[in-house]
C-alpha cells in the first residue's frame, strides 16, 4: 500500500474554529497511526478576507495541541513561525501551478472562457461518492444546475476559485485521504469531476459529523466555546482538549473516556468515526481537564502552574524548586482549570497572605485562645509532618473540650487567608514550622 498522505487546509478568515481543530486532529491521528504524512496547507487565496492574525492563531493552536506537520517549503517567513524550518504551504504562493493546470484543462477542452472567467465543463451524469464514513452517496445535478452545470474555476480578475486550488493541491501533494467536515459533502461531486478531468483517481473521502451546540444547533464561529483561543487562554490544557475533541465524532471500541495522545494514535481509525453529529458539552470538557491535570507528569505540571501563577502576578523565582513542587502538588486534586492555581496556591508564595474579609468575619471572637494553645503545641514539635500536625491538633481540641473545627478554621485562615485551599495538614507541612507559627501570630494579634 502506498504511503498515507492527509492534509489540513484551513482558510485564515477568522479564528480557528473548534471544528477545524478537530479536523486537524483526526488527520494528524490518522497520519501518525499509519506512519504517513500530515500536510498543512493554508488556503489564503481570498485576499480580501485573509487575516495575518488568523494565520498566526492557526499555527499557535496546532502547536499548542501538539499537532506537528511533516512537510512544506523551506521558509524564513516569521509569519509561519518556522524560522527556516519546514513551513506550511500557502496557496497564495502557488499561482503558477494553478495557471498551468487551468491551461491543461483548456487544452483538453475540459474548460472554456466566458466573460473573462474560466469555467469547468461539469459532467452531466450523477457522481457517486464512496465515502468512508457516510457510505455511498449519488450526487445528481439540481434543477438549477441542470440549466447551467458548469462552474467558474478562475475568476475574470485572474484569481483561482476554491474548487480548483483544492483539487490541484491535493493532486500535487499526493493526498490519499481527504478527512473533513460533513459540510463539505456538497462540494465533493465537483471535486471528483475535477480529479477525473485531470486524469487522476480521486483520494478517498471521509466526511466527519458536525459539532453542534448543546441545544442541537450548528456551532458557529460566534458561539461560546467555538474558538480555539477560548481554550488556550481559558486555562485548559492541551492533553484534555485533544482527548475531548477526539471523542466528538469518534469512539474507541472499549468506550474509554480518558486517553493520552499515544493511546489515541494507537486506537484511532476511520471506521470508528461516528455517523451522528457530536454535541459540545462544556461540563464534560471541564471534568476531563481536571482529570488530565491529575495525570500530568510532575515537571510539566510544575511548569504549567508557574506560568499561570505568573499570569496572576505571583512570583515563584525566590523559592526553591523542592518547595514549589511540594506546594503545587497539594493543589493538584483541587484545580479544574489552570487559573485556579492562583487561588489555591497563592498563599505559598507570599510571607503575609491577604486575609479574606468574609472568612475573617466567620471566625467570630473566640478563636484566639484555642489558636494560641495550638501554636504553643506546634512550636514544641520536633517533627512537622502532616500526620503529626493532625494528631497534635486533635489532642489540643480534646484538652480544650472543643470540636476540631474551632481549631481547623482559624488555622486555615491564618495560613492561607481563605476558607478554601489544599489539605490543612499537608499545606502546613509544606509551609514549615517557622512560616506556620508566624502566620498564627499574625492572626492572633489581629485587632
Amino acid at each position: 500500500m502506498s504511503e498515507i498522505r492527509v492534509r489540513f487546509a484551513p482558510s485564515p478568515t477568522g479564528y480557528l474554529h473548534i471544528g477545524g481543530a478537530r479536523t486537524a486532529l483526526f488527520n494528524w491521528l490518522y497520519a501518525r497511526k499509519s506512519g504517513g504524512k500530515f500536510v498543512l496547507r493554508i488556503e489564503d487565496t481570498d485576499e480580501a478576507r485573509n487575516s495575518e492574525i488568523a494565520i498566526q492563531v492557526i499555527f499557535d493552536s496546532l502547536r499548542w495541541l501538539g499537532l506537528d506537520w511533516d512537510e512544506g517549503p523551506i521558509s524564513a517567513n516569521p509569519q509561519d513561525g518556522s524560522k527556516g524550518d519546514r513551513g506550511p504551504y500557502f496557496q497564495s504562493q502557488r499561482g503558477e501551478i494553478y495557471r498551468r493546470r487551468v491551461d491543461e484543462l483548456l487544452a483538453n477542452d475540459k474548460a472554456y472562457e466566458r466573460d473573462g472567467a474560466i469555467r469547468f465543463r461539469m459532467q452531466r451524469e450523477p457522481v457517486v461518492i464512496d465515502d468512508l464514513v457516510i457510505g455511498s452517496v449519488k450526487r445528481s445535478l439540481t434543477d438549477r444546475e441542470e440549466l447551467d452545470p458548469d462552474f467558474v474555476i478562475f475568476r475574470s480578475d485572474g484569481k483561482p476559485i476554491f474548487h480548483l486550488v483544492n483539487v490541484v493541491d491535493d493532486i500535487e501533494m499526493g493526498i490519499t485521504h481527504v478527512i473533513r467536515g460533513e459540510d463539505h459533502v456538497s462540494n465533493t461531486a465537483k471535486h471528483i469531476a475535477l480529479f477525473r478531468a485531470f486524469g487522476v483517481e480521486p483520494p478517498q473521502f471521509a466526511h466527519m459529523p458536525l459539532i453542534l451546540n448543546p441545544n442541537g444547533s450548528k456551532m458557529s464561529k460566534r458561539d461560546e466555546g467555538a474558538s480555539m483561543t477560548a481554550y488556550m487562554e481559558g486555562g485548559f490544557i492541551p492533553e484534555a482538549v485533544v482527548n475531548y475533541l477526539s471523542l466528538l465524532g469518534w469512539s474507541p471500541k472499549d468506550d474509554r473516556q480518558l486517553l493520552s495522545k499515544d493511546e489515541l494514535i494507537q486506537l484511532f481509525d476511520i471506521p470508528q468515526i461516528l455517523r451522528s453529529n457530536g454535541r459540545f458539552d462544556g461540563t464534560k470538557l471541564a471534568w476531563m481537564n481536571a482529570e488530565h491535570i491529575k495525570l500530568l507528569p510532575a515537571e510539566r505540571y510544575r511548569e504549567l502552574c508557574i506560568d499561570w501563577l505568573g499570569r496572576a502576578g505571583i512570583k515563584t523565582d525566590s523559592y526553591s524548586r523542592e518547595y514549589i513542587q511540594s506546594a503545587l502538588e497539594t493543589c493538584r486534586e483541587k484545580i479544574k482549570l489552570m487559573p485556579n492555581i492562583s487561588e489555591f496556591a497563592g498563599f505559598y508564595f507570599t510571607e503575609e497572605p491577604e486575609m479574606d474579609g468574609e472568612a475573617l468575619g466567620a471566625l467570630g471572637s473566640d478563636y484566639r485562645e484555642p489558636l494560641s494553645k495550638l501554636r504553643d503545641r506546634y512550636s514544641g514539635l520536633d517533627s512537622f509532618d502532616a500526620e503529626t500536625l493532625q494528631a497534635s491538633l486533635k489532642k489540643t481540641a480534646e484538652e480544650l473540650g472543643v470540636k476540631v473545627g474551632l481549631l481547623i478554621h482559624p488555622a486555615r485562615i491564618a495560613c492561607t487567608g481563605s476558607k478554601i485551599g489544599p489539605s490543612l495538614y499537608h499545606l502546613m507541612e509544606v509551609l514549615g514550622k517557622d512560616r506556620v507559627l508566624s502566620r498564627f501570630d499574625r492572626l492572633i494579634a489581629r485587632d
Side-chain angles (χ1 to χ4, degrees), residues 32-325:
R32 297 295 171 261
K33 166 83 172 186
S34 63
K37 292 292 190 294
F38 173 63
V39 177
L40 176 61
R41 185 172 80 216
I42 306 299
E43 299 198 337
D44 60 341
T45 54
D46 190 346
E47 296 177 1
R49 298 178 61 210
N50 290 337
S51 162
E52 288 190 12
I53 294 175
I55 293 174
Q56 191 59 53
V57 168
I58 291 170
F59 298 134
D60 292 345
S61 298
L62 293 182
R63 290 192 175 101
W64 185 78
L65 291 167
L67 308 184
D68 53 321
W69 54 91
D70 294 309
E71 65 178 59
I74 298 292
S75 172
N77 182 359
Q79 176 178 252
D80 65 19
S82 61
K83 297 180 181 177
D85 294 327
R86 293 267 176 202
Y89 293 100
F90 287 90
Q91 286 186 334
S92 58
Q93 300 170 3
R94 297 168 60 79
E96 291 183 9
I97 297 172
Y98 307 136
R99 185 72 248 185
R100 172 170 52 81
R101 286 290 189 170
V102 164
D103 288 343
E104 179 183 331
L105 292 176
L106 289 168
N108 293 317
D109 199 29
K110 303 290 185 179
Y112 59 93
E113 185 175 348
R114 181 198 291 178
D115 299 327
I118 308 297
R119 296 169 63 86
F120 175 70
R121 295 188 190 278
M122 181 61 183
Q123 66 182 67
R124 273 50 176 173
E125 63 273 14
V127 176
V128 176
I129 306 167
D130 291 319
D131 194 276
L132 296 174
V133 176
I134 64 177
S136 182
V137 177
K138 180 182 285 188
R139 171 79 171 160
S140 301
L141 297 175
T142 65
D143 291 342
R144 183 180 61 81
E145 289 170 338
E146 285 279 3
L147 298 174
D148 189 10
D150 301 341
F151 58 91
V152 173
I153 54 175
F154 243 75
R155 296 198 302 257
S156 57
D157 62 3
K159 300 296 184 184
I161 295 295
F162 160 75
H163 300 299
L164 174 76
V165 296
N166 188 277
V167 169
V168 167
D169 281 342
D170 283 348
I171 293 172
E172 295 281 334
M173 297 172 190
I175 301 303
T176 61
H177 293 72
V178 174
I179 307 171
R180 59 188 180 185
E182 193 173 296
D183 50 336
H184 282 288
V185 171
S186 60
N187 299 321
T188 304
K190 292 179 180 179
H191 295 179
I192 289 175
L194 277 165
F195 277 110
R196 289 176 176 159
F198 285 117
V200 175
E201 188 63 25
Q204 291 188 276
F205 291 93
H207 287 93
M208 303 179 295
L210 302 178
I211 298 177
L212 306 179
N213 289 310
N215 64 5
S217 62
K218 182 180 177 181
M219 180 179 274
S220 73
K221 289 186 176 182
R222 292 177 296 276
D223 290 330
E224 182 179 357
S227 172
M228 273 301 300
T229 55
Y231 306 99
M232 298 163 65
E233 298 171 0
F236 291 87
I237 62 172
E239 291 87 344
V241 176
V242 165
N243 188 168
Y244 182 73
L245 286 180
S246 71
L247 299 178
L248 273 179
W250 170 83
S251 177
K253 292 179 180 178
D254 58 6
D255 290 327
R256 276 189 292 163
Q257 296 295 300
L258 295 176
L259 295 161
S260 69
K261 192 181 289 182
D262 287 342
E263 289 174 316
L264 289 171
I265 292 172
Q266 182 182 1
L267 295 170
F268 184 83
D269 205 357
I270 290 177
Q272 275 78 54
I273 294 178
L274 303 177
R275 184 67 187 87
S276 58
N277 294 324
R279 294 202 183 200
F280 181 80
D281 185 343
T283 301
K284 181 176 179 179
L285 174 56
W287 167 80
M288 192 168 283
N289 199 67
E291 293 302 308
H292 273 281
I293 288 173
K294 296 173 187 175
L295 298 172
L296 287 173
E299 181 70 13
R300 173 153 170 74
Y301 171 68
R302 183 181 66 84
E303 290 175 354
L304 283 170
C305 288
I306 289 174
D307 175 44
W308 282 95
L309 287 169
R311 298 188 197 195
I314 299 170
K315 299 180 187 271
T316 61
D317 47 8
S318 63
Y319 298 86
S320 73
R321 182 188 184 92
E322 293 72 25
Y323 176 81
I324 294 171
Q325 190 75 49

